[in-house]
Amino acid sequence: MLDLPHKTPEAPTTDPFALARALSGVHLIGGRYVPARSGRTFAVVNPATGEQVAEAAEGDAADVDAAVQDAAKAQKAWAKVPARKRGALVHACAAAIRAHVDELGLLIALETGKALRTESRVEANVVADVFEFFGGLGGELKGESVPFAPDVLSVTVREPLGVVGAIIPWNVPMLLMALKVAPALVAGNAVVVKSAEEAPLAVLRICEIMNRILPPGVFNMVSGMGPECGAPLVAHPLVKKVTFTGSVETGKIVARAAAEKLIPVTLELGGKSPMIVFADCNFEKTVAGALTSMRFTRQGQSCTAASRIYVERPIFDRFVAEMKQAVDRMVMGDPLDEKTDIGTIVSQGQLEKVKAFIEEGKKTPGATAHVCSAMPTDPALKKGLFVQPVIFTGLDGSSRLVREEIFGPVTVIQPFDDAEAVLAEANDSEYGLAASLWTNNLKIGLDLAHRLEAGLVQINQNLVVQANLSYGGVKSSGLGKEASLESMLEHFTHKKTIMVNMG
């Protein structure tokens, strides 16, 4: 039974500000809300107004140890629960989350600045779908019968790893948390999640909702800074698996720490995803697809954002003009307003990084910056972290804007004349997360799809992560897969061989 000293409402609420205050200052460990051992907290800020809306517990190694110890105790009993029963409990969690979708959408919009209608409510619905999907896979934790010898029964079984440490980012924190927690739980592991500093509230609320259904200690949540809270989680001797989403630089640090312990790690890192547009495409559909592909409604804060768009020369000028007009029609404003298409950047530091890239692009000889949409005029938003989307033309492949992940509403559109040449340009990147091709010639599309160096390639669409479709990158974009049965089996269990000599 949950201990809720802050009187968090059990029923869904439509007041995200009150909910944020109620969630302030606590971790969720062992089925109970507890403050940080040190008593320290840090501010949670609404990026649309600059106002503090809550405080989060500032965890350190002591908090992490408490969470992991509780998880390790709970995991022993959880692993003995039949797999389909574990799945049924996770499926019940999905139903509870779905009842809170509107509430969670409001809360994530408040803390991240993502527009409610176009992004935050959508994310909350997908989270429920992920838990529903994995909740139905308990019966798939199967072993095999191995034909070794006539008088030897040889079988394999799938067993959980133990305690999983999960570290999540701020851009889609609820979804990326779900992609880690759901398969880990169904497979019989206990989980300790370290939330993103910028977005700790909605994931904490989901953890609370699920703790009403799950045994205490099976799912725990701590908040804090990377070095003080994330690093101790990775290094803890009882953590037997780490799954991380974030930057390449931090991912390498996580991988090195995991290697010291010889434990498995899943890494979903950065991207610089190419979008290749041929002249024979369905033009209107492709322009609309470019808006989705670039994740403009999320201010480009996505690993799969199409920040490199290559357009065949006969339609290049028309494509740029139509795309700019389409982004111009998008409304920037209060993320909590249903009329808003585009919200804010998540933090002041991220805003300054994005602006630096934009200024560098504007100063590049021969480049043109097509500045889109319009800044909000509401005086209440004057301190908000808004930035207008920018489409650059006239940059070549050596530009930092073409080569580095910006994680903002900035894309570069370049013309091409030859399919082989554009394939080489698309593959000339350290990243390999996602890519898309837009053409009515499926022979060309499928040929290039096979040769693009990316973990996810889509033709004539660019959907976000979907349950049941394997997701993960190559090269510097990461290690391992998420969102599929494969990810549950290969990344959250180990295979044991059992042999019985019957001779």
Side-chain angles (χ1 to χ4, degrees), residues 369-380:
H370 306 267
V371 181
C372 306
S373 188
M375 295 288 280
T377 57
D378 185 347

Side-chain angles (χ1 to χ4, degrees), residues 364-365 367 393-403 412 414 425:
T364 302
T393 55
L395 292 172
D396 62 32
S398 65
S399 169
R400 276 205 323 137
L401 281 76
V402 175
R403 306 205 65 80
V412 178
Q414 299 170 275
E425 284 191 73

Side-chain angles (χ1 to χ4, degrees), residues 77-429:
W78 181 242
K80 295 177 182 178
V81 174
R84 288 187 64 193
K85 177 68 178 297
R86 292 196 302 261
L89 289 170
V90 170
H91 200 277
C93 290
I97 292 168
R98 194 169 294 286
H100 287 259
V101 159
D102 288 338
E103 169 197 273
L104 291 168
L106 288 164
L107 189 58
I108 202 70
L110 178 65
E111 64 180 330
T112 67
K114 295 194 305 180
L116 174 63
R117 175 177 53 82
T118 58
E119 282 290 335
S120 295
R121 189 181 294 121
V122 175
E123 182 185 353
N125 272 297
V126 176
V127 167
D129 183 59
V130 169
F131 280 105
E132 284 177 354
F133 169 73
F134 281 106
L137 294 183
E140 296 302 314
L141 290 158
K142 301 171 182 175
E144 303 150 329
S145 174
V146 182
F148 177 73
D151 58 350
V152 176
L153 174 66
S154 181
V155 298
T156 64
V157 294
R158 291 277 182 181
E159 295 185 342
L161 302 174
V163 177
V164 172
I167 300 176
I168 59 176
W170 45 258
N171 59 329
V172 274
M174 297 189 296
L175 171 59
L176 294 173
M177 178 272 291
L179 290 174
K180 301 174 189 313
V181 171
L185 290 178
V186 174
N189 304 283
V191 186
V192 178
V193 172
K194 188 273 187 191
S195 58
E197 299 95 301
E198 298 86 351
L201 301 177
V203 291
L204 181 60
R205 178 63 162 169
I206 291 175
C207 186
E208 175 206 313
I209 293 166
M210 293 179 62
N211 265 268
R212 298 176 191 153
I213 297 167
L214 299 172
V218 169
F219 180 19
N220 309 272
M221 183 80 62
V222 294
S223 52
M225 308 302 157
E228 293 79 19
C229 189
L233 179 59
V234 176
H236 199 288
L238 293 180
V239 170
K240 302 302 182 183
K241 157 80 182 189
V242 174
T243 173
F244 169 86
T245 299
S247 70
V248 174
E249 294 74 17
T250 306
K252 290 178 179 178
I253 295 171
V254 169
R256 284 193 290 268
E260 285 295 320
K261 295 167 58 181
L262 293 177
I263 63 170
V265 61
T266 302
L267 302 173
E268 199 270 277
L269 307 178
K272 195 68 181 174
S273 301
M275 175 179 180
I276 301 174
V277 179
F278 285 88
D280 69 344
C281 69
N282 180 321
F283 188 84
E284 288 74 20
K285 177 182 177 181
T286 303
V287 171
L291 301 186
T292 303
S293 298
M294 195 29 230
R295 315 291 187 243
F296 277 121
T297 54
R298 201 187 299 169
Q299 282 286 39
Q301 297 171 127
S302 169
C303 298
T304 58
S307 52
R308 297 184 291 153
I309 301 178
Y310 301 95
V311 180
E312 199 167 10
R313 197 175 299 275
I315 63 169
F316 177 80
D317 291 336
R318 180 187 171 203
F319 187 90
V320 172
E322 291 286 335
M323 188 170 171
K324 182 184 186 311
Q325 290 177 21
V327 183
D328 281 340
R329 289 191 291 269
M330 301 175 79
V331 176
M332 296 179 65
D334 183 353
L336 296 172
D337 189 331
E338 294 281 358
K339 295 189 289 291
T340 296
D341 297 304
I342 302 174
T344 73
I345 299 295
V346 73
S347 67
Q348 185 65 42
Q350 184 64 22
L351 178 68
E352 291 171 359
K353 175 187 172 184
V354 171
K355 284 185 172 180
F357 272 107
I358 292 172
E359 290 306 309
E360 181 176 330
K362 288 179 176 179
K363 293 177 182 177
T364 302
T368 300
H370 306 267
V371 181
C372 306
S373 188
M375 295 288 280
T377 57
D378 185 347
L381 305 177
K382 64 181 180 180
K383 294 182 180 179
L385 306 180
F386 296 92
V387 61
Q388 289 174 266
V390 182
I391 299 168
F392 278 99
T393 55
L395 292 172
D396 62 32
S398 65
S399 169
R400 276 205 323 137
L401 281 76
V402 175
R403 306 205 65 80
E404 297 184 19
E405 186 174 39
I406 300 172
F407 229 65
V410 181
T411 191
V412 178
I413 306 183
Q414 299 170 275
F416 74 89
D417 299 294
D418 177 74
E420 292 299 320
V422 76
L423 176 68
E425 284 191 73
N427 286 339
D428 183 20
S429 172

